[in-house]
Amino acid sequence: MFLGIGSILWEDYPREPRKYVLGSGYGGYAPAPDVHDGTWDVIFVRGPRTAARLDLPRSKGICDSAILLRKLDLPPAGGDLGVAFMPHFHSFTRGHWPEACAQAGIRLIDPRDDVEEIIGKIRGARMLITEAMHGAIVADALRTPWLAVRPIHAANAAKWSDWADSLELDLSPHPLQPSSLLEAYVSATKGQRYYGGRAKQIGQSALAKPANKALILLAARHLRKLSRCEPQLSRDDRINEACERAHQAVEEFLRSRASVMEHRP
């Protein structure tokens, strides 16, 4: 099994296959795996916090593997987008971000779109406001200035620090104004009861339509305010070093696998 990106290191994998990890992280969504049971080969993980949680050497916490976009021939910038906003993909099912971005005059980037299209849009943005962690990771790799906002669903926040620590980033996320009554409920309860019946009832209640109209307006105003904030980037020397370490780790892994295949009977 190849575990190449995302917060997907948990215990719920079949024991029999060998698991190869190149850049994934631990997100706290489920119990951590025992990567020392003899069935895991951890090449590197997203950051030092994942390394510590899995009882791995700190040197294994290189960076998220999306940093290796810097080694690829990428799609050109998709025009001059100005300021863009990328919500977490869950926010498209519980919020009204297309409407909020339209009112704010800010370009929406849907993280569910085609990968090359997303990369082109991020490259073409003057600044990316992002609730999605990989929006920041990809923007940083492509050297597009970005502004982190705290995810409305609190469970999505902790993993940011793991990646930020890998690049020695001083992460200072800004609050994000909910764009719907359901998002406001999720934010108020820190997502603890998001999947329960109460959240669904609120999202479908008679109050939802007028409340959503007002919340979209407030979210648009807040996005415009965020667009005037100072974005950030990791240091050039730090991202170059992390990228080279990740690339070297991948090359060493490929050489070792090629050697194993050559000596198989």
Side-chain angles (χ1 to χ4, degrees):
M1 299 183 70
F2 175 76
L3 307 176
I5 200 167
S7 300
I8 57 174
L9 300 183
W10 47 58
E11 66 172 0
D12 194 22
Y13 286 108
R15 177 175 171 78
E16 292 76 17
R18 189 152 191 84
K19 278 77 71 177
Y20 297 96
V21 180
L22 287 95
S24 296
Y26 177 69
Y29 304 124
D34 177 9
V35 297
H36 305 284
D37 68 0
T39 69
W40 292 74
D41 191 349
V42 180
I43 315 307
F44 67 97
V45 293
R46 179 175 59 211
R49 299 193 184 207
T50 291
R53 183 62 181 83
L54 301 183
D55 196 24
L56 295 166
R58 185 179 176 87
S59 60
K60 292 283 188 180
I62 296 177
C63 196
D64 188 279
S65 47
I67 197 174
L68 292 169
L69 285 170
R70 296 171 61 81
K71 294 291 185 180
L72 302 178
D73 292 327
L74 298 174
D80 183 5
L81 271 67
V83 177
F85 173 59
M86 179 185 283
H88 189 277
F89 78 94
H90 281 152
S91 294
F92 278 88
T93 63
R94 62 187 182 222
H96 296 287
W97 292 108
E99 296 90 337
C101 285
Q103 289 193 28
I106 288 175
R107 184 67 173 264
L108 178 71
I109 299 180
D110 188 337
R112 304 167 301 177
D113 280 345
D114 176 78
V115 172
E116 292 192 353
E117 181 179 349
I118 292 173
I119 289 173
K121 288 179 178 178
I122 292 178
R123 294 189 80 183
R126 173 174 60 82
M127 166 183 169
L128 178 69
I129 304 167
T130 180
E131 183 195 17
M133 181 183 71
H134 275 94
I137 292 173
V138 172
D140 198 75
L142 303 181
R143 303 282 83 183
T144 296
W146 52 271
L147 187 80
V149 294
R150 286 193 290 273
I152 287 176
H153 198 304
N156 292 322
K159 59 189 180 183
W160 280 75
S161 296
D162 185 38
W163 165 69
D165 287 353
S166 74
L167 294 178
E168 299 176 358
L169 276 163
D170 183 13
L171 194 63
S172 300
H174 296 254
L176 183 63
Q177 169 68 41
S179 67
S180 71
L181 187 60
L182 178 54
E183 282 190 321
Y185 178 79
V186 171
S187 178
T189 62
K190 299 187 183 301
Q192 294 174 2
R193 295 190 293 275
Y194 171 56
Y195 297 104
R198 180 65 174 160
K200 185 176 181 180
Q201 290 173 9
I202 288 177
Q204 297 177 348
S205 69
L207 181 62
K209 188 173 182 179
N212 288 343
K213 186 176 181 180
L215 287 168
I216 290 169
L217 177 61
L218 291 173
R221 289 177 178 173
H222 190 65
L223 283 175
R224 285 195 294 269
K225 180 180 177 181
L226 291 173
S227 72
R228 296 189 290 270
C229 293
E230 186 70 25
Q232 65 181 123
L233 277 175
S234 64
R235 300 195 319 266
D236 288 342
D237 63 330
R238 189 66 193 88
I239 197 169
N240 288 335
E241 178 190 356
C243 186
E244 290 305 317
R245 288 178 62 203
H247 188 247
Q248 182 180 2
V250 171
E251 291 294 312
E252 290 176 356
F253 168 69
L254 293 175
R255 284 194 294 269
S256 68
R257 292 301 302 160
S259 178
V260 169
M261 297 303 292
E262 286 177 4
H263 291 88
R264 277 188 174 178

